[in-house]
Each structure stands twice: as C-alpha cells, then as structure tokens.
Amino acid sequence: MYSQAPKKHLVFSTAYDPSTDQVLDWMAAMGGQFIRKNTNDQYIEREDTVLPVSAQAEDRRYASIWFRKISGLPRQDWLSGVHLSEAAEAFQANLPYFNQYVERERKTFYDFYYQSFQAGRILSPYEAIRLNKLVVLNLAASIGLDVPKTLITKRRKILERFRAECPEGVINKSISEHLFFDGPAPDIKRYANYTEEITDRMIRTMPETFDLSLFQEKLDKDFEIRTFYLEGRCHSMAIFSQDNERTSLDFRRYDKSNPNRLANFSLPGAHEALIARLMGLLGLNTGSLDLIQTRNGRMAFLEVNPAGQFGMVSVPCNYGLEKQIASYLINGNES
Amino acid sequence: MGLICDVQRKELLHIPSLLAEVLEKIYQYSVEEIKDVYDHQYDKGIDAYLAKLVELGVGFYTHNPEAFPAVELSWGSPLEVYAAVIEVESVSNYDVGDVIRQLDDLGCAGLQVRFLEPFSVEDICRMLQPAKDSRLKFIELYIRENGELEEQLFRIVKENRRVTTLVVHSAGEPRIVFPEKNAGSVNIVYTGQPVRRGQPDMARLENFVASTPILAEARHFNIALNRKVCIDAEGFIRNYVSHEAHFGHVSQASIRAAVESPAFREKWRLHNDLIEQCRDCQYRYLCLSNSDVVENGGKYHKKEICDFDPYTNTWHKQTLRDQLRGDAQNPALAGDKRE
C-alpha cells in the first residue's frame, strides 16, 4: 500500500535568522504546514538514527525541503577536561588530529542525515550545495562566462610572472571557504581572512615557496553585482563600493557611516542565460552569485554561494523574494 | 518642497519642488531631453543640482540607464496583524494573556504594552507568560515607575527574550541603565514623561525613518494604522487607542473578527495620498501620525491637527531640538542628519 503524498514542508536553517522567519510567515499565510530544524541546535543528534532508513519513512518524506542554512556545531576540543590514562600523552600530542577525526565522524553522519530526506522540490539538493570553488570557476569559464585570470601556486617566481600579466594588480583569496574565528575574551574580536590585494612590495618579501595559494587578477571595478538566482530567474542588485577605500576589495567589510550605494540592477539577457546554464550544470536551483562590472566593460563572474543571503538583495530592491521562495516551496512556482 | 529619502543613510534631503519634478522624469528621459522639456530655461540649474546629488552620493551618471530599473513599490505582508498596542491599568477588566494568544494566532510580530499604573515585575512576567512560545518577534514595554530595583526589571528581559525595549515612565530624572555583561542588549530607559491613556504618536520629523519597505507600504496603506490593532485600558478593541470607534470588548468580541471587519480595515487603506492636506505634504510616505481619518463630503481628513503645514513648510510647535537644527527650514540640499 502506498502512503499518501506528504503535505508538510521541511526547512533547515539556524536560530535567529530573520530571512527564514519571513519565508515561514509567508508559508503559513499560504496555508503551508512546515517543520523548521535549526542546524546550530544539537537536537538533530538526539534524533537517533537506525539503519536502514527508508526513503518511504513518514518522517523522511516531505512536500518540499529548503536547505536555507546548514551550520556547523560549535568547535570543541573533544579531549579537554577528559581524564586520560596511559595513552594520554599520545592523545595530547595529537589533539588537533584527534579533533579532525571527530569532525570527520560527525560530517559523515550529517552528510547522510541531510541526504536521507526526500521531497518533490528541494532548494537546492544537499549534494549540490557542497561546491568546489575551482570546479565552479572552471565550469563558468568553459561555458563562456568571463572569469578573472586565476593562478594556484606555491612558488613566488610563478606569482611574479602572473603579476606581470595583470595590469591592475593581484589579489589573494581562499581556495575553499573563508576562515572565521574569535579572539580571546573579554574583547572577543572576530578574525577572518578577507580578500586582500597582494602588492608588489609583498611579493618581493615573500619566501621563494609558500603553501598552496590562490591568486587572481585584480579588476578595475566599476561596481559589484549580487544576483539572487531562483528557479531560472535572476534578481540582481548593483553595489557601488569603489569610492570607499575600506570596502573596495571586499564588500563584506561593510562601512555603516558611509554605506555602499545599492541600486536595482538588470543583467543583460545573455548573462542571465549563462547564469541559468551554470546553475543547471551545478545542479542548483537557487543561490547567490557575485559578479563585477569593470570600468572597461567586462562583466566578470566571481563565485556562487549556494546558501546566499537574499534579504540583503530583497529588502533594498523590494523584490519580495521571501514570498517567491515560500510560493515555490508550497506550490512549485514563483508567485 | 520635495524630499529625497536616502534609505541607506536614513537621511532626508529637502529639495525644491522643481527639482523633484525633474527627478521624476529621470527614468524616462536623458539629461539633455529633460533640458529640452523645460525649453533650456533651467540648463544651468539642472546641471548644478545633478552634480550636487552625485557629490552627495545619491545619484550617478550612466550611459546604460536600462540596467538600473526603478524600485517597484509594490507591498504585501503575510501577517494579518503586524503590530498591537495594549494599555493595562489596574481596572482593566480583560485578560492580557488571552489577548497575546489571540495576537499570536494572527501572526502578530510586534507588541507594545503600556502599563499606565504601577505593576510589580512579578505581575508583568505573569501577564507576558503566553508570549514565550508565540510568533511575536519583538515586545516593547512601557512600565510605570514602581520603585523596583533595576535588577528586578532586568528579570523581565531575562525571562522574555522577545522583549526588545524597556521604558520606565513617570520616573523623574531621565537616565539609561545598561545591562551587565552577558545579560543581553536591552537597556532600561527611564523617562520623566508619563504615558497616558490614548497617548498619540506625534508626527515629528525625528520620528520619520526612510526605508524601502515603508515607502512601498505608504503608497498603498496608512503606515501608522495598517495591520495594527489596539486594546485600550478599558478593554475595547480599536484601530488605535485614541480613536473614537471601537469594535467590541475583547472579553466578548474576538480580535480576529474585529480586524476582519470592513470598517476596521478601511482605516488601513486610507493612506496619505487620499487625505486632504497630507496628499500635498513632502512627508506623506513617512508620516507615522496615527490620527483617525474622517470623511466629510467625499473628502478625507485627519482628525488630529498636524504640527506641520506643507503649504508654508513650517512646523507650528517646534521643539527646541528641531529649532536648533532648523530641520525643515534648511535650504535645499542641506540635508538633515539624524542618527
């Protein structure tokens, strides 16, 4: 006997995410029933998992799933404060390695857990969310998007040669995700590795070899473009940050007293088509994309963020994306 | 006068009406075409003003205007009620907890509770109990000075994480008490001023906040009354606590029935573009006057007299602060900076 088509919707988010609240308000107004799981809450681990988990199981089937935000759990030293016997010294000496192991254990469980849910509509499938930045850049370039010249190297000599090919200069950013960590109490300053220009002076003082690093040509930016992509459609905003020294390289260093200017923006049709194609190839039906319009007319693609903030585009541009997301999850179409 | 609302810096730029007229054409015509429209009478002025706007960072020149469409000012809300104001006195013969439960059912996001007489922290916490697992997102409390220690008052915030504002009124010297470390971010604000029955919100320049959602809502709805419901000290359901019309006593009539009635909703729809005098005011998309609106011979008027006269561009009862800054009288483009 077949069970009935599921009626409920499942939302993975984090606590205190106002964008999620707003989408859920719309879903409620549309008569949708939903379950919200905050992924920074440890209760997921309290849902004991017994294999095999059937895809047909009542608690695994939903009308739709929204992976709004998947957060890691707070970092911990798993052995601190634990009484250890003979192996203590060996463990202590290899603590970072041990912690990595525990993280891997948990990650493997969570990868399974998130993929064990089934739905007719998923924003976006969990398997597609874990992106490799280099795969994305490579794919974008191969379908015809303008991608900044990019080099990954360990050698200063190669970097020097690359610098000579980049008239506007060179920047460095993470190959994977940005790093965030907090300093000690009571100040608890947050540290992060932002995108940084690598000056010629810096290059001169670099050692001959260093760890694997990503370099990109610096672009003569006119303005940045943030595009929220949802089910085939682009919702774009221009961000003018060039005249603000603090943010000229990285928009996240937001300056409140002199905010970057935002404007509704409409991408050329050809670019919208390329973005839709790229997203299709990546298996994503939603995400935030970063592009740059240069002063000499280039529109360069930088990256895709599969769980990008849409509130910062939706509110200033009055796009009503919260309603559109809710409508897709409930009805399978945009409002 | 015209107004540019800088929604990012939260600033208002006062501009001459003629410049406002020019700017309304900017999505349709190039600068040269606009000059043509005015038979080149104002070429110099147009150039100078546009250059000034660019310098102030509220505009830029482009050869590609199609890429920058205007913000579409449509508006909608998933919440049947967005905000509620309730007055509580010792004689109030209604159940605050039940009101909160009804508001929760309507998806209400914000609640302002005005305790007009002294209540103990314990009583206040008990009344707010049903808010804990509700959909309410923020709660503003106006509590009458009761001689209770700050430590006690912070208990309210600690027990109700949704409390975002805590004002103690009728409290003598104004002062602000900050919470201890790790005790949240809500301050206790003491004010000498009392909060009385039916207290109106004043239409004052410093209360105006420019934001895209508000500007969009104001095109279609009365932003001071839309999706708002109030319970006065006697327990009557009203659009606003100072309004004359009521929609039953909350212990007998449901809040849902009240807010779904056409008469209640009509006040939501009467936005300033439909109201005499307000329709000519440069602040019409920002004004938070929650005055009742009355019809007279097919025309709508605000019942309460406004302090601002758009025809002479003057505030009648200026506060000292306004006078010091000379806000509305500033020459064009001087801007008014508010925190």
Side-chain angles (χ1 to χ4, degrees), chain A residues 25 260-262 265-266 318, chain B residues 6 8 57 67 72 135 137:
Chain A
D25 280 339
N260 295 306
R261 287 305 184 176
L262 311 175
F265 187 74
S266 153
N318 203 34
Chain B
D6 185 337
Q8 286 184 266
E72 207 220 306
R135 286 175 70 189
K137 295 179 177 82

Side-chain angles (χ1 to χ4, degrees), chain B residues 207-272:
Chain B
N207 294 343
F208 298 160
V209 178
S211 82
T212 307
I214 285 179
L215 293 174
E217 184 180 359
R219 300 287 166 125
H220 312 280
F221 294 97
N222 182 315
I223 53 173
L225 300 175
N226 188 29
R227 317 254 172 166
K228 184 184 273 180
V229 64
C230 301
I231 313 292
D232 71 14
E234 313 249 337
F236 289 101
I237 307 170
R238 299 179 196 269
N239 284 98
Y240 186 69
V241 283
S242 63
H243 287 196
E244 220 171 278
H246 72 75
F247 295 81
H249 194 276
V250 73
S251 59
Q252 285 135 27
S254 82
I255 299 178
R256 178 177 293 278
V259 300
E260 282 176 357
S261 73
F264 198 96
R265 292 206 171 192
E266 197 201 358
K267 307 288 179 184
W268 295 0
R269 278 193 301 271
L270 295 175
H271 55 86
N272 284 338

Side-chain angles (χ1 to χ4, degrees), chain A residues 75-84 88 91-96 98-99 102:
Chain A
R75 240 168 286 143
Q76 304 177 32
D77 272 343
W78 296 98
L79 285 182
S80 69
V82 175
H83 177 72
L84 296 168
F91 267 115
Q92 293 291 3
N94 293 287
L95 202 53
F98 181 78
N99 283 331
V102 178

